[in-house]
Amino acid sequence: MNKSSDTQRMEKIVSLCKRRGFIFQSSEIYGGLNGCWDYGPLGVELKRNLKNYWWRVMVHERDDVVGMDGSILMNRAVWKASGHEDTFTDPMVDCRSCKARLRADQLIDKKGVKQCPNCGGKDLTAPRAFNLMFKTFVGATEDESSVTYLRPETAQSIFVQFKNVLEVSRKKLPFGIAQIGKAFRNEINPRNFTFRSREFEQMELEYFCRAEEGMKWLDYWLEERLKFYENIGIPREKLHAHEIPDEERAFYSKGTYDIEFDFPFGRQELEGVAYRTDYDLQQHIKASGKPLDYFDEETKQRFVPHVVEPSAGVDRTVLALICEAYDEDTAPDEKGKLETRIVLRFHPRMAPIKCAVFPLLKNNEQLVAKAKEIADLLRPHMNVFYDETGAIGRRYRRQDEIGTPFAVTVDFETLGEKDPALRDTVTLRDRDSMKQERVPITELVSILTSRIR
Ligand code: GAP
């Protein structure tokens, strides 16, 4: 695919997201707020499905991981100890021609001369460190003593609660603590739709282990995380495990991979999987004076565990899911003429709405009553959408465009008017193949639940 068709594809995706209620600009009626986004009725379902599946796979289906939910505001001492207050910075450059503030690594390099990507200007300031944390004040006085920050990652609350969680969960090494929550970074250039935002969510696991097993668990978690993306519908060939070379890795990390995805705007990071050694716990031990260590009952030894951290972005993964799902094909309209069909081919497990339910005709009381009855039958098991307006083909198209994998239609055969043998059966249509099968209403719940789990 060439550059312009990738750009066009991205434009179509952004417009679909707004038109169908996946993602809106935050504070839109006031001109928006750069780097902030709101998820609409379908976006919130997609995001929730992703987070729920992550939690299921990373916490519920495992015996060695427990969860926690930390506060966004923490004692400033946390951010001093973790190194964020001094070093969580991006190099920033000002363009003196158009006054743009730019990340130094986003400048255009033309034959060794750096240029502003906005105006092409070459009159640029020297790079200076810009701290990405949002500063705020706790309590009624706004002075140095009340300063703290909105957390730029969820990980630190896991490290500072390590001892409490260890004690209450009575876990033995290796074991992990998982968390999903908001993080905030005052990015210099938010861009590529939700990809680089100032407010976003992370899904992080801190997996504590013995030092000698750190590299083994790094490899293990990289593989587990790649499998996770495949299981939500992102094919392996679009995923890349990029090993960060020694000179680019954080000094305390003994190995880091970025899991990257081929977005329409290029190959970009979805998740980092890092072996962080015992750096974070040691920093907090030094700064707090508290013993964040582990006592091995068997060897009677006390030591500070090492940690492997798979850290994924919720919003980036949602964007990857939408980009991967977006497709156009052709389907016959009401008169049999082929027209372009926009379809989101979400994995059924991720789809915001699992099944649409339609009465064939809106003005037939029996069809409507039966269809509503079926929607109520399915609702406790999945997110269902009932629709009776417009021609049936149009209703299918509307669902295709938002990625609903299944649609049930109640017709005259359901009422037993044509063939008594077909009474209480419905058509079940598949979004991707557009094929329809006839199934008994009594089997709908089990057929659908097995396909969406
Ligand atoms: N605790 C480690 C950590 O925070 P990171 O690589 O800075 O590592 C982890 O962030 C993940 O969080 C990224 O891979 C990405 O998915 C997501 N993320 C980071 N900054 C983001 C931003 N500005 N907008 C959206 N997602 C972001």
Side-chain angles (χ1 to χ4, degrees), residues 420-435:
L422 294 180
R423 177 185 287 279
D424 286 333
T425 65
V426 287
T427 64
L428 178 61
R429 175 202 185 248
D430 178 274
R431 173 199 66 204
D432 296 335
S433 66
M434 293 188 269
K435 293 219 169 77

Side-chain angles (χ1 to χ4, degrees), residues 159 208-209 211 252-254 275-286 292 303-308:
F159 294 127
F208 300 96
C209 61
Y252 50 80
S253 170
K254 282 200 177 160
Y275 172 24
R276 298 175 70 116
T277 64
D278 59 352
Y279 175 76
D280 304 271
L281 289 179
Q282 292 287 14
Q283 288 296 102
H284 291 300
I285 291 169
K286 260 189 255 158
L292 302 176
F303 58 92
V304 177
H306 278 219
V307 71
V308 173

Side-chain angles (χ1 to χ4, degrees), residues 152-153 155 185 187 194-197 200 202 204 269-272 276 309 311-313 316:
E153 62 172 17
R185 296 183 190 178
E187 298 285 353
T194 57
F195 179 82
R196 192 177 301 290
S197 306
F200 55 95
Q202 292 184 315
E204 297 200 294
E269 176 189 333
L270 275 184
E271 165 161 358
R276 298 175 70 116
E309 175 198 67
S311 169
R316 282 190 188 177

Side-chain angles (χ1 to χ4, degrees), residues 50 53-54 57 224-232:
L50 171 66
Y53 185 64
W54 187 91
V57 172
E224 284 299 294
R225 298 302 305 146
L226 288 166
K227 267 192 250 159
F228 174 89
Y229 290 106
E230 284 187 274
N231 288 338
I232 59 174

Side-chain angles (χ1 to χ4, degrees), residues 139-181:
T141 21
E142 293 198 359
D143 61 20
E144 264 305 286
S145 69
S146 59
V147 164
T148 195
Y149 306 94
L150 302 190
R151 66 180 180 194
E153 62 172 17
T154 65
Q156 293 304 322
S157 56
I158 298 182
F159 294 127
V160 301
Q161 292 294 358
F162 167 74
K163 200 77 178 178
N164 278 335
V165 178
L166 175 66
E167 272 168 24
V168 297
S169 64
R170 295 168 41 238
K171 291 282 172 205
K172 302 263 175 287
L173 287 184
F175 81 97
I177 305 176
Q179 176 166 214
I180 300 179

